[in-house]
Amino acid sequence: FDRGSLSGKRVFITAGPTREALDPVRYISNHSSGKMGYALAEAAVDAGAKVTLISGPVNLPAPQRCERIMVESAEQMLAASLEHIDECDIFIASAAVADFRPVAVAEHKLKKGTEEIMELRLVKNPDIVASVAARQNKPFTVGFAAETRDVVHYAQDKLSRKNLDLIIANDVSRSDIGFNSDDNAVTVVSHDDVQQLPLSSKRQLASKLIEIIAAHQEN
Ligand code: PMT
């Protein structure tokens, strides 16, 4: 019987948003639902992989036969991603990681005060997928690119700047695909190829993407 294209492979997948705390009750985040990353985890399990899903806060149940680690912030997602990275064959970064976090987390709930304008100071978060790809013994590393224009151009830039092996670009200016929708349409960009995958459910797309990733990482 078919043992699956990722039989015996260890696959780590980041999914969902991160939350960056401002104070005990407030945070900065985004509209990622985790659907894309969870669909990839299911497809990778179906392809025979041993999957670790590193997930930000989402409303989805853990996929079956998959280890799930729940995190909140980008720093926690980085720590969870690196903890067993030496065992990882393929790293897929589908999470929408907050690029910045508040410089300090207030110990108590911030008070309104009398000012009409409030300013926040933010500091850049670590880049998780770039940290993985910078390792000497790096896994086959796949990123996503959330773009609103010049999708392929910016994806190619991220592919080389972050030292990735493959990048999956989606146009997040459309409301029928990308963040929080059930469907997606993507462009898979490698160092020598650009492949369009037309609109379909995230589940169907995930199976196709896992096939493509499996084929690439064999070479
Ligand atoms: O969760 P869903 O609702 O299903 O939506 C899916 C999605 C739109 C979130 C997903 O398909 C997607 O595009 N994920 C990447 C979102 C993103 O943050 O893209 P980016 O272009 O800002 O980042 C590029 C890559 O670097 C991504 O692989 C991202 O995970 C990674 N990154 C970014 C910043 C950071 N600090 N660490 C990272 O690892």
Side-chain angles (χ1 to χ4, degrees), residues 14 16 31-37 74 93-99 125-130 142-147 158 162 164 167-168 170 172 178-181 184 202:
T14 68
H31 291 294
S32 171
S33 64
K35 285 175 194 166
M36 192 67 244
S94 71
V97 183
D99 290 319
N125 266 328
D127 192 308
I128 298 165
V129 76
V142 183
F144 270 73
E147 308 294 348
K158 279 178 189 167
K162 299 192 185 207
L164 307 177
I167 194 154
I168 300 159
N170 42 196
V172 293
F179 282 94
N180 200 19
S181 58
N184 208 356
K202 284 179 178 171

Side-chain angles (χ1 to χ4, degrees), residues 64-217:
Q64 287 183 355
R65 293 171 288 140
C66 143
E67 180 196 9
R68 180 171 72 161
I69 302 169
M70 296 300 292
V71 298
E72 295 259 333
S73 67
E75 286 179 305
Q76 289 170 358
M77 189 174 273
L78 176 69
S81 297
L82 294 182
E83 191 171 357
H84 299 290
I85 195 67
D86 290 333
E87 298 162 18
C88 174
D89 299 304
I90 301 171
F91 189 91
I92 307 174
S94 71
V97 183
D99 290 319
F100 292 89
R101 67 176 181 277
V103 167
V105 184
E107 192 185 340
H108 297 286
K109 185 178 171 222
L110 294 165
K111 290 291 179 200
K112 249 195 299 291
T114 54
E115 303 286 330
E116 282 304 311
I117 290 177
M118 178 196 182
E119 285 182 2
L120 284 177
R121 273 173 70 77
L122 304 176
V123 58
K124 208 171 214 156
N125 266 328
D127 192 308
I128 298 165
V129 76
S131 306
V132 168
R135 295 177 61 83
Q136 206 161 41
N137 227 328
K138 77 164 174 130
F140 186 84
T141 310
V142 183
F144 270 73
E147 308 294 348
T148 56
R149 60 193 171 101
D150 290 343
V151 173
V152 173
H153 174 78
Y154 285 119
Q156 277 164 337
D157 177 60
K158 279 178 189 167
L159 181 73
S160 57
R161 198 158 35 83
K162 299 192 185 207
N163 193 32
L164 307 177
D165 297 298
L166 211 61
I167 194 154
I168 300 159
N170 42 196
D171 183 344
V172 293
S173 67
R174 287 171 55 177
S175 63
D176 58 330
I177 62 171
F179 282 94
N180 200 19
S181 58
D182 288 331
D183 301 331
N184 208 356
V186 302
T187 309
V188 183
V189 179
S190 70
H191 290 282
D192 49 23
D193 194 30
V194 173
Q195 188 181 354
Q196 312 272 359
L197 301 184
L199 185 73
S200 61
S201 71
K202 284 179 178 171
R203 291 288 207 91
Q204 280 176 313
L205 204 60
S207 303
K208 183 75 192 156
L209 287 170
I210 289 297
E211 241 176 66
I212 293 173
I213 290 166
H216 267 90
Q217 63 91 45

Side-chain angles (χ1 to χ4, degrees), residues 32-66:
S32 171
S33 64
K35 285 175 194 166
M36 192 67 244
Y38 277 56
L40 284 163
E42 279 169 24
V45 167
D46 287 344
K50 194 159 178 282
V51 177
T52 302
L53 180 59
I54 301 159
S55 174
V58 297
N59 282 317
L60 298 172
Q64 287 183 355
R65 293 171 288 140
C66 143

